[in-house]
Amino acid sequence: MFTQQGPYGPVKVTVANAIATEFGATIRFMMAVDADASEELLDAASEFLNELEQLCSVGTDVPYSKG
């Protein structure tokens, strides 16, 4: 089950998806991690962003910035 693990809760994502659907837009989720982040943290961030993508019916972009 998806739970909030970061700045994007499921309700926020649902609302953003509805707005993007209405206006033909895409959603960009961004997440910054420390430059010295472990592979474990990077994997967790990637997994979280992938879960967000699965909640959306519109196109998404899910970069994360390391630094």
Side-chain angles (χ1 to χ4, degrees):
M1 169 171 245
F2 181 80
T3 60
Q4 186 168 340
Q5 300 171 357
Y8 306 108
V11 173
K12 291 178 185 177
V13 174
T14 301
V15 171
N17 187 68
I19 292 169
T21 299
E22 180 68 24
F23 292 99
T26 60
I27 299 172
R28 174 176 276 190
F29 298 107
M30 298 187 74
M31 180 177 287
V33 294
D34 289 332
D36 60 349
S38 68
E39 284 299 315
E40 182 179 358
L41 179 60
L42 294 175
D43 289 344
S46 179
E47 183 179 326
F48 175 68
L49 293 171
N50 288 334
E51 288 178 9
L52 293 178
E53 276 189 301
Q54 294 175 14
L55 294 175
C56 298
S57 61
V58 298
T60 58
D61 185 17
V62 291
Y64 63 86
S65 176
K66 189 174 180 181

